[in-house]
Amino acid sequence: MAALGWLTPRRRSATARSVLAGEAAAEAARKTSAEDESALLTGVPDQAPEEPAFPVAGDDRAAAFFDLDNTVMQGAAIFHFGRGLYKRKFFERRELTRFAWQQAWFRLAGVEDPEHMQDARDSALSIVKGHRVSELMSIGEEIYDEYMADRIWPGTRALAQAHLDAGQRVWLVTAAPVETATIIARRLGLTGALGTVAESVDGVYTGRLVGEPLHGPAKAEAVRALAAAEELDLERCAAYSDSHNDIPMLSLVGHPYAINPDTKLRKHARALDWRLRDYRTGRKAAKVGIPAAAGVGALAGGTAAALALHRRRR
Protein backbone atom coordinates (compact mmCIF):
# COMPACT_ATOMS: atom_id res chain seq x y z
CA MET A 1 0.00 0.00 0.00
CA ALA A 2 1.36 3.39 -0.95
CA ALA A 3 0.59 4.59 2.54
CA LEU A 4 2.92 7.58 2.65
CA GLY A 5 0.35 9.62 0.85
CA TRP A 6 -2.16 9.00 3.64
CA LEU A 7 -0.06 10.49 6.42
CA THR A 8 -1.86 13.28 8.24
CA PRO A 9 0.11 16.40 9.31
CA ARG A 10 -0.36 17.52 12.92
CA ARG A 11 -1.98 20.70 11.76
CA ARG A 12 -5.01 18.86 10.41
CA SER A 13 -8.12 18.80 12.52
CA ALA A 14 -9.24 15.89 14.66
CA THR A 15 -12.19 15.41 12.31
CA ALA A 16 -9.91 15.13 9.29
CA ARG A 17 -7.76 12.57 11.08
CA SER A 18 -10.87 10.60 12.02
CA VAL A 19 -11.98 10.64 8.41
CA LEU A 20 -8.59 9.37 7.24
CA ALA A 21 -8.49 6.65 9.88
CA GLY A 22 -12.01 5.52 9.00
CA GLU A 23 -11.25 5.37 5.28
CA ALA A 24 -8.05 3.41 5.93
CA ALA A 25 -9.90 0.95 8.17
CA ALA A 26 -12.69 0.40 5.66
CA GLU A 27 -10.19 -0.12 2.84
CA ALA A 28 -8.19 -2.63 4.84
CA ALA A 29 -11.32 -4.46 5.95
CA ARG A 30 -12.53 -5.02 2.43
CA LYS A 31 -9.20 -6.64 1.56
CA THR A 32 -9.77 -9.57 3.85
CA SER A 33 -13.31 -10.97 3.78
CA ALA A 34 -13.72 -14.23 5.66
CA GLU A 35 -15.29 -17.29 4.01
CA ASP A 36 -15.76 -19.72 6.89
CA GLU A 37 -18.95 -19.90 8.97
CA SER A 38 -18.85 -20.48 12.71
CA ALA A 39 -21.32 -22.64 14.66
CA LEU A 40 -24.07 -21.11 16.75
CA LEU A 41 -22.94 -21.35 20.37
CA THR A 42 -25.98 -20.47 22.43
CA GLY A 43 -29.66 -21.28 22.53
CA VAL A 44 -32.66 -19.14 21.86
CA PRO A 45 -33.49 -16.72 24.69
CA ASP A 46 -36.95 -15.59 25.70
CA GLN A 47 -38.64 -13.93 22.76
CA ALA A 48 -40.75 -10.81 22.61
CA PRO A 49 -43.82 -11.85 20.54
CA GLU A 50 -44.69 -8.30 19.62
CA GLU A 51 -41.33 -7.75 17.94
CA PRO A 52 -40.95 -8.59 14.23
CA ALA A 53 -38.33 -11.17 13.32
CA PHE A 54 -34.84 -9.72 13.29
CA PRO A 55 -32.45 -10.01 11.58
CA VAL A 56 -34.58 -10.15 8.45
CA ALA A 57 -33.64 -13.23 6.43
CA GLY A 58 -32.55 -12.53 2.88
CA ASP A 59 -32.12 -8.77 3.34
CA ASP A 60 -28.84 -8.28 1.49
CA ARG A 61 -28.86 -4.54 2.06
CA ALA A 62 -28.62 -5.06 5.81
CA ALA A 63 -25.43 -5.90 7.74
CA ALA A 64 -24.16 -5.91 11.31
CA PHE A 65 -21.19 -4.09 12.86
CA PHE A 66 -19.67 -5.30 16.13
CA ASP A 67 -17.21 -3.53 18.38
CA LEU A 68 -14.55 -5.99 19.61
CA ASP A 69 -13.12 -5.18 23.06
CA ASN A 70 -15.57 -6.10 25.84
CA THR A 71 -18.35 -6.56 23.27
CA VAL A 72 -17.27 -9.65 21.36
CA MET A 73 -14.25 -10.47 23.52
CA GLN A 74 -13.44 -9.99 27.19
CA GLY A 75 -10.62 -7.49 27.60
CA ALA A 76 -8.56 -5.64 25.00
CA ALA A 77 -7.31 -7.48 21.91
CA ILE A 78 -4.18 -5.37 21.75
CA PHE A 79 -3.17 -6.46 25.26
CA HIS A 80 -3.61 -10.15 24.42
CA PHE A 81 -1.61 -9.60 21.25
CA GLY A 82 1.11 -7.94 23.31
CA ARG A 83 1.24 -10.93 25.64
CA GLY A 84 1.83 -13.19 22.67
CA LEU A 85 4.59 -10.99 21.30
CA TYR A 86 6.27 -10.87 24.71
CA LYS A 87 6.23 -14.67 24.84
CA ARG A 88 8.08 -14.60 21.52
CA LYS A 89 10.62 -12.11 22.89
CA PHE A 90 9.56 -9.16 20.75
CA PHE A 91 10.09 -6.84 23.75
CA GLU A 92 11.23 -6.70 27.38
CA ARG A 93 9.37 -7.39 30.64
CA ARG A 94 8.98 -3.68 31.48
CA GLU A 95 6.91 -3.24 28.33
CA LEU A 96 4.73 -6.22 29.25
CA THR A 97 4.18 -4.61 32.65
CA ARG A 98 3.01 -1.50 30.82
CA PHE A 99 0.57 -3.56 28.76
CA ALA A 100 -0.66 -5.24 31.94
CA TRP A 101 -1.37 -1.89 33.60
CA GLN A 102 -3.32 -0.73 30.58
CA GLN A 103 -5.39 -3.93 30.64
CA ALA A 104 -5.99 -3.63 34.40
CA TRP A 105 -7.26 -0.08 33.89
CA PHE A 106 -9.57 -1.28 31.13
CA ARG A 107 -11.04 -3.99 33.35
CA LEU A 108 -11.43 -1.80 36.44
CA ALA A 109 -12.85 1.21 34.65
CA GLY A 110 -15.03 -0.91 32.36
CA VAL A 111 -14.59 1.62 29.57
CA GLU A 112 -12.03 2.59 27.00
CA ASP A 113 -9.80 5.42 28.16
CA PRO A 114 -8.48 7.22 25.04
CA GLU A 115 -5.16 8.10 26.70
CA HIS A 116 -4.50 4.52 27.83
CA MET A 117 -5.63 3.06 24.51
CA GLN A 118 -3.38 5.47 22.61
CA ASP A 119 -0.46 4.56 24.85
CA ALA A 120 -1.05 0.87 24.16
CA ARG A 121 -1.16 1.45 20.41
CA ASP A 122 2.02 3.54 20.49
CA SER A 123 3.74 0.69 22.31
CA ALA A 124 2.53 -1.83 19.76
CA LEU A 125 3.64 0.33 16.82
CA SER A 126 7.16 0.66 18.20
CA ILE A 127 7.31 -3.11 18.73
CA VAL A 128 6.22 -4.10 15.22
CA LYS A 129 8.28 -1.48 13.38
CA GLY A 130 10.59 -3.17 10.90
CA HIS A 131 8.71 -6.48 10.95
CA ARG A 132 6.91 -7.87 7.92
CA VAL A 133 3.12 -7.79 7.85
CA SER A 134 3.04 -11.46 6.84
CA GLU A 135 5.14 -12.41 9.87
CA LEU A 136 2.79 -10.67 12.30
CA MET A 137 -0.28 -12.19 10.63
CA SER A 138 1.16 -15.68 11.06
CA ILE A 139 2.03 -15.04 14.70
CA GLY A 140 -1.39 -13.48 15.24
CA GLU A 141 -3.08 -16.77 14.32
CA GLU A 142 -1.12 -18.50 17.08
CA ILE A 143 -1.84 -15.75 19.59
CA TYR A 144 -5.57 -16.01 18.91
CA ASP A 145 -5.52 -19.67 19.90
CA GLU A 146 -3.37 -19.01 22.96
CA TYR A 147 -5.02 -15.96 24.49
CA MET A 148 -8.22 -14.92 22.69
CA ALA A 149 -10.30 -17.93 21.65
CA ASP A 150 -11.59 -18.68 25.15
CA ARG A 151 -12.42 -15.00 25.82
CA ILE A 152 -15.14 -14.67 23.20
CA TRP A 153 -18.55 -13.90 24.71
CA PRO A 154 -20.83 -16.77 23.58
CA GLY A 155 -23.90 -14.52 23.71
CA THR A 156 -22.42 -11.90 21.41
CA ARG A 157 -21.12 -14.55 19.05
CA ALA A 158 -24.64 -15.95 18.86
CA LEU A 159 -25.96 -12.51 17.89
CA ALA A 160 -23.39 -12.32 15.09
CA GLN A 161 -24.30 -15.83 13.97
CA ALA A 162 -27.97 -14.83 13.79
CA HIS A 163 -27.06 -12.20 11.19
CA LEU A 164 -24.94 -14.69 9.26
CA ASP A 165 -27.74 -17.24 9.33
CA ALA A 166 -30.06 -14.58 7.91
CA GLY A 167 -27.69 -14.18 4.97
CA GLN A 168 -26.27 -10.85 6.14
CA ARG A 169 -22.66 -9.68 6.28
CA VAL A 170 -21.01 -9.08 9.66
CA TRP A 171 -17.96 -6.92 10.34
CA LEU A 172 -15.90 -6.21 13.42
CA VAL A 173 -15.21 -2.50 13.95
CA THR A 174 -12.36 -1.89 16.37
CA ALA A 175 -9.45 0.29 17.36
CA ALA A 176 -7.30 -2.86 17.41
CA PRO A 177 -4.86 -3.33 14.50
CA VAL A 178 -6.72 -4.36 11.37
CA GLU A 179 -4.52 -7.45 11.03
CA THR A 180 -5.48 -8.68 14.51
CA ALA A 181 -9.15 -7.84 13.91
CA THR A 182 -9.11 -9.66 10.58
CA ILE A 183 -7.75 -12.83 12.20
CA ILE A 184 -10.47 -12.74 14.86
CA ALA A 185 -13.18 -12.10 12.26
CA ARG A 186 -11.95 -15.00 10.14
CA ARG A 187 -11.79 -17.38 13.08
CA LEU A 188 -15.35 -16.45 14.08
CA GLY A 189 -16.61 -16.91 10.55
CA LEU A 190 -17.45 -13.23 10.06
CA THR A 191 -17.28 -11.29 6.81
CA GLY A 192 -14.31 -9.10 7.73
CA ALA A 193 -13.01 -6.35 9.98
CA LEU A 194 -12.50 -2.63 10.13
CA GLY A 195 -9.51 -1.73 12.32
CA THR A 196 -6.68 0.71 12.88
CA VAL A 197 -4.36 0.69 9.88
CA ALA A 198 -0.62 0.70 10.50
CA GLU A 199 1.45 2.03 7.62
CA SER A 200 3.56 -0.48 5.74
CA VAL A 201 5.89 -0.05 2.80
CA ASP A 202 6.75 -3.09 0.69
CA GLY A 203 5.12 -5.28 3.31
CA VAL A 204 7.18 -3.90 6.23
CA TYR A 205 5.72 -1.83 9.09
CA THR A 206 7.06 1.72 9.35
CA GLY A 207 5.93 2.32 12.94
CA ARG A 208 3.36 4.93 11.89
CA LEU A 209 -0.41 4.92 11.52
CA VAL A 210 -2.54 5.78 8.52
CA GLY A 211 -4.62 8.65 9.89
CA GLU A 212 -5.42 7.93 13.54
CA PRO A 213 -6.68 4.99 15.63
CA LEU A 214 -10.13 3.78 14.60
CA HIS A 215 -11.84 5.08 17.72
CA GLY A 216 -14.99 7.08 18.39
CA PRO A 217 -16.04 9.18 15.39
CA ALA A 218 -13.54 7.39 13.13
CA LYS A 219 -15.49 4.15 13.61
CA ALA A 220 -18.65 5.83 12.42
CA GLU A 221 -16.85 7.15 9.35
CA ALA A 222 -15.48 3.69 8.58
CA VAL A 223 -18.96 2.15 8.80
CA ARG A 224 -20.43 4.94 6.67
CA ALA A 225 -17.75 4.45 4.01
CA LEU A 226 -18.09 0.68 3.98
CA ALA A 227 -21.87 0.90 3.76
CA ALA A 228 -21.60 3.20 0.76
CA ALA A 229 -19.13 0.88 -0.98
CA GLU A 230 -21.26 -2.19 -0.24
CA GLU A 231 -24.56 -0.45 -1.11
CA LEU A 232 -26.00 -1.10 2.33
CA ASP A 233 -28.99 0.69 3.83
CA LEU A 234 -27.82 1.83 7.28
CA GLU A 235 -31.41 2.09 8.51
CA ARG A 236 -31.68 -1.67 8.03
CA CYS A 237 -28.27 -2.38 9.62
CA ALA A 238 -27.41 -3.19 13.25
CA ALA A 239 -24.45 -2.14 15.41
CA TYR A 240 -23.28 -3.51 18.76
CA SER A 241 -20.96 -1.99 21.36
CA ASP A 242 -20.22 -1.76 25.08
CA SER A 243 -18.78 1.76 25.09
CA HIS A 244 -20.23 5.27 25.03
CA ASN A 245 -17.30 6.12 22.76
CA ASP A 246 -19.16 4.21 20.05
CA ILE A 247 -22.36 6.22 20.25
CA PRO A 248 -21.51 7.86 16.87
CA MET A 249 -21.38 4.40 15.25
CA LEU A 250 -24.48 3.13 17.05
CA SER A 251 -26.39 6.25 16.04
CA LEU A 252 -25.75 5.58 12.34
CA VAL A 253 -27.85 2.44 12.14
CA GLY A 254 -31.50 1.64 12.51
CA HIS A 255 -30.87 -1.15 15.04
CA PRO A 256 -28.36 -0.07 17.74
CA TYR A 257 -27.54 -2.45 20.60
CA ALA A 258 -25.76 -1.76 23.88
CA ILE A 259 -23.86 -4.94 24.82
CA ASN A 260 -22.23 -5.15 28.28
CA PRO A 261 -22.67 -1.37 28.37
CA ASP A 262 -20.66 1.07 30.43
CA THR A 263 -22.64 3.48 32.62
CA LYS A 264 -22.81 6.29 30.09
CA LEU A 265 -23.90 4.03 27.25
CA ARG A 266 -26.51 2.30 29.41
CA LYS A 267 -28.02 5.68 30.33
CA HIS A 268 -27.94 6.84 26.72
CA ALA A 269 -29.48 3.59 25.45
CA ARG A 270 -32.32 3.73 27.96
CA ALA A 271 -33.06 7.34 27.08
CA LEU A 272 -33.33 6.47 23.37
CA ASP A 273 -35.04 3.10 23.91
CA TRP A 274 -32.14 1.18 22.38
CA ARG A 275 -31.86 -2.55 22.98
CA LEU A 276 -29.66 -3.70 25.87
CA ARG A 277 -28.00 -6.99 26.70
CA ASP A 278 -25.43 -7.76 29.39
CA TYR A 279 -23.53 -11.04 29.26
CA ARG A 280 -21.26 -10.22 32.20
CA THR A 281 -23.87 -11.17 34.79
CA GLY A 282 -26.17 -13.44 32.83
CA ARG A 283 -28.95 -10.86 33.02
CA LYS A 284 -31.51 -10.97 30.25
CA ALA A 285 -31.94 -8.13 27.85
CA ALA A 286 -33.35 -5.16 29.68
CA LYS A 287 -35.55 -4.08 26.90
CA VAL A 288 -35.64 -2.30 25.40
CA GLY A 289 -36.66 -5.18 23.59
CA ILE A 290 -34.14 -7.57 22.19
CA PRO A 291 -35.70 -8.74 18.92
CA ALA A 292 -36.75 -12.35 18.70
CA ALA A 293 -34.06 -13.66 16.37
CA ALA A 294 -31.35 -11.32 17.58
CA GLY A 295 -30.68 -13.30 20.69
CA VAL A 296 -30.31 -16.46 18.69
CA GLY A 297 -27.48 -17.68 18.77
CA ALA A 298 -15.05 10.89 11.72
CA LEU A 299 -15.08 10.72 7.70
CA ALA A 300 -11.74 10.02 5.89
CA GLY A 301 -10.77 7.23 8.23
CA GLY A 302 -14.03 5.44 7.62
CA THR A 303 -13.93 5.76 3.87
CA ALA A 304 -10.41 4.39 3.31
CA ALA A 305 -11.07 1.30 5.37
CA ALA A 306 -14.25 0.55 3.50
CA LEU A 307 -12.70 1.12 0.10
CA ALA A 308 -9.76 -1.17 0.85
CA LEU A 309 -12.01 -4.08 1.74
CA HIS A 310 -14.23 -3.28 -1.26
CA ARG A 311 -11.30 -3.35 -3.73
CA ARG A 312 -9.93 -6.63 -2.42
CA ARG A 313 -13.28 -8.38 -2.71
CA ARG A 314 -13.76 -7.09 -6.25
Side-chain angles (χ1 to χ4, degrees):
M1 178 174 67
L4 291 174
W6 290 101
L7 294 180
T8 306
R10 292 181 179 276
R11 66 176 179 273
R12 295 185 67 175
S13 69
T15 297
R17 292 196 302 273
S18 294
V19 167
L20 181 58
E23 289 178 346
E27 182 177 357
R30 291 179 59 83
K31 288 180 180 177
T32 50
S33 294
E35 297 179 354
D36 298 334
E37 294 186 358
S38 59
L40 186 63
L41 298 183
T42 62
V44 182
D46 293 341
Q47 297 185 0
E50 73 280 4
E51 294 270 353
F54 183 84
V56 179
D59 187 356
D60 60 4
R61 294 199 64 199
F65 303 94
F66 284 78
D67 170 54
L68 176 58
D69 295 348
N70 211 34
T71 301
V72 171
M73 182 176 68
Q74 299 175 52
I78 196 169
F79 170 74
H80 300 310
F81 187 64
R83 290 176 65 194
L85 292 183
Y86 170 74
K87 178 181 178 180
R88 292 161 176 79
K89 303 186 184 304
F90 271 66
F91 55 91
E92 302 298 325
R93 178 173 291 277
R94 65 179 178 276
E95 291 172 292
L96 180 64
T97 302
R98 186 179 179 189
F99 272 110
W101 161 245
Q102 291 155 353
Q103 176 70 354
W105 175 270
F106 180 84
R107 285 179 177 275
L108 290 172
V111 296
E112 298 174 357
D113 180 282
E115 182 177 348
H116 283 79
M117 299 299 287
Q118 180 66 56
D119 192 28
R121 282 185 288 270
D122 289 344
S123 298
L125 284 169
S126 66
I127 290 166
V128 303
K129 180 179 180 180
H131 289 276
R132 299 198 65 80
V133 175
S134 58
E135 175 191 12
L136 271 295
M137 287 292 287
S138 178
I139 291 174
E141 296 281 357
E142 300 172 3
I143 292 174
Y144 176 84
D145 290 327
E146 293 170 1
Y147 298 111
M148 300 180 187
D150 62 354
R151 291 178 170 81
I152 302 299
W153 292 107
T156 311
R157 185 173 181 181
L159 289 171
Q161 188 65 42
H163 287 278
L164 294 171
D165 290 345
Q168 297 179 6
R169 288 157 286 180
V170 179
W171 280 278
L172 294 180
V173 188
T174 174
V178 66
E179 294 82 3
T180 300
T182 296
I183 290 169
I184 296 171
R186 182 184 302 123
R187 299 298 284 273
L188 295 179
L190 309 184
T191 308
L194 297 158
T196 296
V197 179
E199 180 189 74
S200 63
V201 176
D202 296 328
V204 177
Y205 289 112
T206 66
R208 295 185 290 268
L209 289 182
V210 178
E212 65 177 16
L214 199 71
H215 185 269
K219 282 189 178 182
E221 296 303 339
V223 169
R224 194 193 310 275
L226 184 60
E230 293 282 318
E231 298 182 346
L232 299 172
D233 182 350
L234 286 172
E235 280 298 313
R236 289 144 72 175
C237 292
Y240 302 78
S241 179
D242 71 295
S243 174
H244 69 279
N245 293 310
D246 288 338
I247 288 175
M249 177 180 75
L250 294 170
S251 299
L252 275 182
V253 301
H255 302 278
Y257 290 77
I259 305 294
N260 305 329
D262 62 39
T263 301
K264 290 183 179 179
L265 178 57
R266 184 181 294 276
K267 180 178 180 180
H268 187 87
R270 284 175 170 163
L272 296 184
D273 204 34
W274 288 356
R275 299 174 177 92
L276 298 172
R277 175 152 285 196
D278 198 325
Y279 296 115
R280 294 168 298 188
T281 63
R283 289 177 297 190
K284 294 181 179 178
K287 164 141 193 174
V288 230
I290 210 99
V296 183
L299 183 57
T303 307
L307 291 177
L309 180 58
H310 182 69
R311 291 168 185 162
R312 176 59 175 271
R313 294 180 62 192
R314 293 290 175 92

